């Protein structure tokens, strides 16, 4: 399900052009925009022609606290209008030009593209760069999705229990930098708060039955199964009680040593239910997963770039056993195992399904944010390893992919989802002024 947003839209015009036809087009567009998925529309009914009308439209959009503004050049128009709106609303802008109509008596009817050009030049020279220009008859869904990511991150309630994993300095975050760039505030909790979180016995029993149904549990003891069931219930209840959108977890070394198992299997189960859980205290990894979910991608998860095969030109996307269990390939045995943490596990073991993949990492360095973007495809492989994993093939040489990651110092986790989700993040990077590592 995509992130809900509030969208402001205005249509500008000038009476020296075919403004009456533009008004008819605007009426039709408003009806279409009102049907957009997960969008609350704020749009004046009439064309905006005079400066006073632009001021009234801007006041309405500001009052409704829109997340972004689409400014349609219904025809060419006064240069004041977009500037008045941008000055008061201060949100990302889509400058939307309409395709020109058939000529009427040798006269251009809309001159819409020139209007968008005027607005872009005015905004750019006025120091406003968070705009995108399109020429099309309908809404730019990729831009909408970029706004969805922006809203999802700025409204997220993100927690971290414990800290980052031991020695994983590259997963550290600067809390106020996250707040400045994304609007995110990170709440810290101690591991004991989850270890000791009270849950009803009936919920633990329900989770135990669910685990037995989903996984082959013959490789673990009944005590370990009880602990996984209890932890699944505890994490789920904790997320709900703290109203957390995402949680980064210091999953080792204390988990196995103190609680008795690692949290991998419980995280696999809960992630299949649309919970955003990040391994090893990786807050930016959790944000990457949230960003993927905001555009409608299902079941994001973090992987390690664990192996490359130069001869066969593939990468192994692996992690110790935490991938969402609903992404199982349906062929291998989906099981729980205790190979990890000196036999204290418990991890999920299975091969992930085949399909097109999109890869994203929101990453910070030197006080700046950047974004790793790539695509690949998962291809079938046999169950040869412990943990959860897939064989990924890129359109370019896998050695070049690895070089891009390591030469730019990107953290060793990235979010991966099935499907193609790239363009919205390219647009978001432009809006925010972030570097794209690709």
């Amino acid at each position: 399900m995509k992130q809900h947003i509030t969208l402001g839209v205005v249509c500008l015009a000038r009476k020296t052009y075919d403004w009456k036809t533009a008004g008819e087009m605007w009426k039709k567009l408003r009806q279409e925009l009102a049907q957009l998925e997960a969008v609350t529309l704020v749009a004046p009914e009439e064309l905006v022609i005079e400066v006073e009308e632009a001021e009234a439209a801007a006041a309405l959009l500001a009052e409704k606290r829109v997340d972004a503004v689409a400014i349609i050049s219904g025809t060419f128009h006064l240069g004041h209008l977009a500037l008045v709106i941008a000055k008061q609303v201060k949100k990302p802008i889509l400058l939307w030009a309409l395709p020109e109509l058939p000529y009427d008596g040798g006269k251009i009817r809309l001159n819409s593209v020139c209007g968008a050009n005027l607005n872009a030049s005015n905004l750019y020279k006025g120091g406003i760069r968070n705009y995108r220009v399109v020429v099309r008859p309908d809404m730019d869904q990729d831009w909408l999705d970029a706004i969805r990511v922006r809203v999802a991150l700025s409204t997220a309630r993100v927690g971290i229990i414990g800290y980052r994993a031991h020695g994983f300095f590259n997963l550290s975050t600067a809390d106020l930098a996250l707040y400045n760039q994304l609007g995110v505030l990170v709440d810290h909790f101690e591991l004991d708060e989850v270890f000791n979180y009270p849950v009803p016995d009936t919920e633990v029993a329900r989770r135990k039955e669910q685990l037995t149904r989903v996984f082959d549990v013959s490789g673990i003891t009944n005590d370990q199964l009880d602990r996984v069931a209890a932890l699944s219930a505890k994490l789920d209840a904790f997320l709900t009680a703290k109203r957390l959108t995402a949680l980064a977890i210091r999953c080792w070394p204390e988990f196995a040593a103190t609680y008795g198992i690692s949290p991998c299997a419980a995280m696999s189960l809960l992630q299949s239910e649309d919970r955003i859980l990040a391994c090893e205290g990786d807050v930016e990894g959790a944000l990457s997963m949230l960003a993927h979910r905001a555009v409608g991608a299902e079941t994001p998860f973090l992987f390690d770039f664990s192996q490359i095969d130069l001869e066969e030109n593939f990468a192994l996307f692996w992690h110790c056993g935490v991938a969402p269990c609903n992404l199982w390939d349906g062929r291998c045995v989906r099981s729980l195992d205790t190979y990890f943490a000196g036999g204290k596990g418990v991890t999920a073991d299975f091969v992930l399904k085949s399909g097109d993949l999109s890869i994203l990492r929101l990453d910070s360095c030197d006080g700046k944010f950047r974004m790793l973007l790539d695509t690949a495809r998962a291809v079938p492989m046999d169950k040869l390893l412990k943990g959860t994993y897939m064989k990924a093939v890129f359109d370019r040489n896998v050695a070049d992919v690895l070089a891009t990651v390591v030469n730019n110092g990107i953290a060793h986790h990235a979010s991966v989802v099935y499907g193609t989700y790239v363009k919205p993040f390219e647009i978001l990077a432009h809006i925010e002024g972030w570097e794209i590592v690709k």
Side-chain angles (χ1 to χ4, degrees), residues 62-337:
E63 176 191 351
K64 298 298 184 180
R65 302 179 69 178
V66 298
D67 298 309
V69 182
I71 299 177
I72 305 173
S73 293
T75 72
F76 189 78
H77 45 73
L78 289 175
H80 303 61
L81 307 182
L83 291 173
V84 166
I85 293 167
K87 180 180 180 180
Q88 188 159 343
V89 179
K90 299 184 187 303
K91 295 291 183 178
I93 294 171
L94 179 70
L95 299 177
W96 180 356
L98 301 175
E100 187 56 58
L101 298 175
Y103 303 145
D104 182 11
K107 184 177 181 180
I108 194 166
R109 297 170 65 185
L110 300 182
N111 203 21
S112 177
V113 171
C114 190
N117 189 170
L118 170 68
N119 290 337
S121 181
N122 279 338
L123 291 173
Y124 189 96
K125 292 182 178 183
I128 298 173
R129 309 290 166 86
N130 63 347
Y131 63 84
R132 171 174 168 80
V133 180
V134 297
V135 182
R136 55 187 299 154
D138 56 357
M139 172 55 72
D140 181 357
Q141 295 285 348
D142 289 327
W143 178 78
L144 275 186
D145 283 347
I147 303 305
R148 295 182 198 279
V149 175
R150 208 170 179 270
V151 172
L153 295 177
S154 65
T155 58
R157 294 180 63 92
V158 180
I160 181 170
I161 57 171
Y163 187 43
R164 55 164 171 76
H166 186 60
F168 285 4
F169 304 104
N170 62 326
L171 301 184
S172 299
T173 57
D175 286 358
L176 293 180
L178 284 177
Y179 171 75
N180 179 52
Q181 286 286 309
L182 306 176
V184 173
L185 287 172
V186 180
D187 290 324
H188 175 264
F189 306 94
E190 297 298 337
L191 289 167
D192 283 350
E193 294 184 62
V194 170
F195 293 168
N196 300 322
Y197 201 80
V199 290
D201 291 342
T202 53
E203 179 61 13
V204 175
R206 185 184 76 83
R207 288 296 186 180
K208 184 175 181 179
E209 186 279 329
Q210 182 184 16
L211 288 160
T212 303
R213 179 166 25 92
V214 171
F215 295 100
D216 175 356
V217 298
S218 61
I220 63 174
T221 67
N222 191 62
D223 177 66
Q224 288 169 327
L225 180 59
D226 286 340
R227 289 177 185 271
V228 176
L231 182 58
S232 301
K234 288 172 183 288
L235 281 170
D236 193 31
F238 185 83
L239 286 160
T240 299
K242 303 299 182 183
R243 297 184 296 123
L244 295 175
T245 317
L247 182 64
I249 299 173
R250 180 177 165 102
C251 47
W252 64 272
E254 294 86 1
F255 241 101
T258 304
Y259 186 75
I261 59 167
S262 63
C264 305
M267 292 171 68
S268 174
L269 186 69
L270 293 178
Q271 286 186 99
S272 75
E273 299 174 353
D274 204 32
R275 292 295 199 180
I276 299 294
L277 300 170
C279 306
E280 296 165 331
D282 186 0
V283 170
E284 289 174 356
L287 295 173
S288 303
M289 297 163 75
L290 279 175
H292 262 152
R293 189 173 69 177
V295 300
E298 296 181 1
T299 326
F301 66 97
L302 294 183
F303 72 91
D304 283 356
F305 205 157
S306 294
Q307 174 192 343
I308 64 170
D309 187 312
L310 297 176
E311 291 187 4
E312 296 189 24
N313 197 37
F314 73 84
L316 185 74
F317 290 0
W318 176 91
H319 220 164
C320 49
V322 72
C325 58
N326 60 314
L327 301 181
W328 166 55
D329 71 356
R331 298 189 308 126
C332 69
V333 175
R334 187 170 47 176
S335 56
L336 299 185
D337 197 275

Side-chain angles (χ1 to χ4, degrees), residues 11 19-34 41 43-47 72 98:
C11 188
W19 65 282
K20 291 185 177 180
T21 299
E24 295 170 1
M25 296 168 68
W26 171 226
K27 181 178 179 180
K28 183 173 183 293
L29 278 172
R30 283 183 76 253
Q31 293 172 346
E32 293 173 357
L33 293 169
L41 181 67
E45 292 187 12
E46 304 300 325
L47 295 172
I72 305 173
L98 301 175

